[in-house]
Amino acid sequence: MTGSRWLCLLLLATNAIYATAQQRPDGPLQRLLISPDVLLRQQAEFDLSEVQVQHIQALLEETEPAMQQLQQQANHSMARLAESLSNDDADVAATLQQLDQFLEIEKEHKLLQMRTMIRARNELTAAQREAASKFNHSQNFDGGLEQRLQAKLT
């Protein structure tokens, strides 16, 4: 098997592992963190004060440009990686270097996401964190269909 085929298999396996981890119904982080976007969409359910809403909105406004820039960098890096793999005889070292660059961007993106969620979580009271945990739990087990549909309607 050529190096590029091994790399393709590695990428597919990595994506499968990542997708599975994202879909875990009740992982430890799922119970402890919630997206600031969800907090704002469900602010009445979590009984957020106006000050909390303002802080979370400011947090999102602060991090949004960096999130968008990292997403653009990731897309560009993935395109370069795909281009490396599209050659009949891909250069293994160069392709792996492209993969390293992509993974570094993904790491930065995940760190920014985590930092943002932690800062948003710190805005919540203990009761609100418990409500958010229960909300996440219900979203993961029923797929959150009702809330997703409701969000699209508003």
Side-chain angles (χ1 to χ4, degrees):
M1 194 175 276
T2 66
S4 62
R5 286 188 183 147
W6 277 110
L7 187 58
C8 284
L9 289 174
L10 172 67
L11 286 172
L12 288 172
T14 302
N15 280 340
I17 291 168
Y18 181 74
T20 302
Q22 292 290 317
Q23 296 173 358
R24 283 191 57 199
D26 196 27
L29 294 182
Q30 292 285 355
R31 291 189 300 269
L32 299 172
L33 295 171
I34 189 165
S35 166
D37 294 326
V38 173
L39 287 173
L40 292 176
R41 276 196 314 270
Q42 304 294 329
Q43 60 185 282
E45 183 171 336
F46 300 130
D47 195 27
L48 297 181
S49 71
E50 187 60 36
V51 171
Q52 288 173 310
V53 169
Q54 289 172 357
H55 286 175
I56 294 169
Q57 286 173 334
L59 174 63
L60 288 175
E61 289 171 9
E62 174 188 326
T63 58
E64 185 63 28
M67 289 280 200
Q68 289 176 352
Q69 181 182 15
L70 286 168
Q71 186 60 52
Q72 288 174 351
Q73 289 175 358
N75 291 343
H76 183 68
S77 181
M78 182 56 78
R80 288 193 318 254
L81 180 59
E83 186 178 317
S84 288
L85 289 171
S86 66
N87 297 330
D88 288 338
D89 192 23
D91 180 341
V92 175
T95 304
L96 290 176
Q97 183 178 10
Q98 285 297 129
L99 176 62
D100 283 341
Q101 289 173 359
F102 172 75
L103 293 174
E104 187 58 37
I105 294 166
E106 283 290 304
K107 177 183 174 186
E108 288 179 44
H109 190 252
K110 292 299 176 193
L111 286 171
L112 182 56
Q113 285 178 326
M114 182 65 82
R115 193 176 307 115
T116 303
M117 287 191 292
I118 291 169
R119 288 177 60 194
R121 179 186 183 276
N122 288 344
E123 292 292 330
L124 305 178
T125 65
Q128 290 168 327
R129 285 193 299 271
E130 180 65 28
S133 177
K134 288 178 183 176
F135 180 84
N136 267 349
H137 185 76
S138 71
Q139 293 297 292
N140 289 324
F141 283 109
D142 69 9
L145 179 61
E146 181 180 343
Q147 282 79 15
R148 286 195 315 268
L149 289 174
Q150 196 167 21
K152 287 183 180 187
L153 292 173
T154 57

